[in-house]
Amino acid sequence: VVVLLSLLGVAAAGKLLVVFVDGSPWFSLREVLDVLRQRGHEVVVVAPEVSLRMKPSPNLVMKMYPVPFTQEEMEKDIQTFLQVSFEEVSFLERFLKLYEVIKRLSNMSASSCQQLLQNKELMSYLEETKFDAILTDPVVPCGLILAEHLSLPSVYFLRGVPCGLEFEATQCPNPPSYVPRTLSQLPDRMSFLQRVQNLLFDTQNLFLCDFAVDPFSKLASEFLQREVTVLDLLRKGSVWLLRLDFVLDYPRPLMPNIIPIGGMHCGHK
């Protein structure tokens, strides 16, 4: 009995594949990965050679792959996106600017994912290594494609997904009459005209999704050799760790496998 009990800690450890997004979310995830490693889990991170924050570290096993763009090109597009997102301009002007920059960022992410999937040496390593799960941020659906290909349960660590796909994937209610849309600057208690405005604001998703998500749907269909969409893959998420805090974010319905973890991106104090 003593021997069996002593093995419980070993039995609980597993192998985790991490396919994540670059930038500030990586800081939040690093703390999670450090704790997982301390608890005996084996963590392998797959990352592009060109990135803002995902750099090789002696504390992590990182598998890097080349991408067809430079550091300067990536940083310029990200800076433009941030600037446009918070400009105090009209809805139409912001939409037109976002259309162009999101299209460039989406194509860049899709080309990076394509390079990963076509990297035979790295893919062989991932296929031969018996991972227990994949941890990813579905805002860039490359991890979803890998999870399907490797038949792994997926854990999402996210803030949100373009076009509100997380609501559709989880079947959570998201009525525009009551839930202000991101960047709409509307309050949680809206007048009738504000609700109409919120509904109109929501129509941009019909256009933004076409080029933000479709490249990954095409890439997934080609790689998996069957017709599949990002929404199909998104629905297969096992656990959704949502970086929301209802002190700052509007309360919303959650499904049982959705866990709000607001505060993960804050300091320990």
Side-chain angles (χ1 to χ4, degrees), residues 36-82:
L36 288 173
R37 287 182 60 259
Q38 292 169 13
R39 296 185 178 184
H41 299 286
E42 183 179 340
V43 178
V44 176
V45 180
V46 174
E49 291 180 351
V50 175
S51 66
L52 291 173
R53 308 297 180 190
M54 301 178 70
K55 306 299 181 182
S57 168
N59 299 325
L60 288 175
V61 176
M62 297 195 74
K63 299 294 181 180
M64 315 294 287
Y65 62 92
V67 289
F69 49 83
T70 65
Q71 186 83 20
E72 292 73 21
E73 290 172 336
M74 179 193 65
E75 290 181 0
K76 180 181 178 181
D77 284 343
I78 291 177
Q79 194 63 38
T80 302
F81 171 74
L82 293 175

Side-chain angles (χ1 to χ4, degrees), residues 1-266:
V1 173
V2 173
V3 173
L4 290 175
L5 289 175
S6 67
L7 292 175
L8 286 178
V10 178
K15 291 184 178 180
L16 184 68
L17 174 60
V18 178
V19 183
F20 212 66
V21 297
D22 196 9
S24 57
W26 175 246
F27 291 137
S28 303
L29 186 68
R30 275 301 305 269
E31 290 198 24
V32 176
L33 298 184
D34 288 342
V35 173
L36 288 173
R37 287 182 60 259
Q38 292 169 13
R39 296 185 178 184
H41 299 286
E42 183 179 340
V43 178
V44 176
V45 180
V46 174
E49 291 180 351
V50 175
S51 66
L52 291 173
R53 308 297 180 190
M54 301 178 70
K55 306 299 181 182
S57 168
N59 299 325
L60 288 175
V61 176
M62 297 195 74
K63 299 294 181 180
M64 315 294 287
Y65 62 92
V67 289
F69 49 83
T70 65
Q71 186 83 20
E72 292 73 21
E73 290 172 336
M74 179 193 65
E75 290 181 0
K76 180 181 178 181
D77 284 343
I78 291 177
Q79 194 63 38
T80 302
F81 171 74
L82 293 175
Q83 181 180 348
V84 171
S85 297
F86 296 101
E87 278 184 341
E88 294 186 2
V89 295
S90 67
F91 167 78
L92 181 59
E93 186 177 352
R94 179 188 289 132
F95 173 79
L96 294 175
K97 290 182 177 180
L98 281 176
Y99 182 93
E100 293 299 326
V101 68
I102 292 179
K103 186 175 183 179
R104 291 199 302 271
L105 287 173
S106 180
N107 290 337
M108 187 177 291
S109 298
S111 65
S112 173
C113 184
Q114 186 174 30
Q115 292 297 312
L116 167 59
L117 299 176
Q118 292 179 348
N119 191 313
K120 294 183 179 180
E121 182 179 353
L122 180 53
M123 289 302 297
S124 295
Y125 166 80
L126 297 179
E127 291 166 354
E128 293 169 3
T129 305
K130 302 301 180 182
F131 290 102
D132 295 297
I134 184 169
L135 177 62
T136 188
D137 187 334
V139 70
V140 176
C142 200
L144 310 184
I145 302 174
L146 269 181
E148 183 70 9
H149 175 65
L150 300 174
S151 300
L152 293 175
S154 50
V155 178
Y156 299 155
F157 186 84
L158 74 157
R159 175 82 174 140
V161 182
C163 316
L165 287 182
E166 71 268 30
F167 291 95
E168 190 171 352
T170 57
Q171 297 183 338
C172 284
N174 188 33
S177 297
Y178 297 95
V179 183
R181 295 310 187 236
T182 303
L183 301 179
S184 67
Q185 300 180 347
L186 293 172
D188 57 335
R189 296 186 179 182
M190 295 177 280
S191 65
F192 174 75
L193 290 179
Q194 286 175 323
R195 293 182 183 188
V196 173
Q197 181 183 346
N198 197 44
L199 177 62
L200 294 175
F201 194 90
D202 207 29
T203 57
Q204 66 178 323
N205 291 336
L206 301 175
F207 304 96
L208 294 178
C209 271
D210 287 342
F211 58 84
V213 177
D214 280 3
F216 287 96
S217 294
K218 294 176 182 177
L219 183 59
S221 299
E222 293 173 2
F223 181 72
L224 299 173
Q225 297 184 345
R226 68 177 190 276
E227 194 68 28
V228 65
T229 66
V230 168
L231 185 59
D232 295 331
L233 299 177
L234 195 60
R235 286 180 174 137
K236 297 187 177 183
S238 301
V239 179
W240 296 62
L241 301 178
L242 214 56
R243 298 196 306 272
L244 296 183
D245 189 331
F246 292 148
V247 173
L248 300 175
D249 301 280
Y250 295 120
R252 46 173 277 198
L254 300 175
M255 291 302 177
N257 64 334
I258 300 177
I259 305 169
I261 54 169
M264 282 303 305
H265 46 285
C266 302

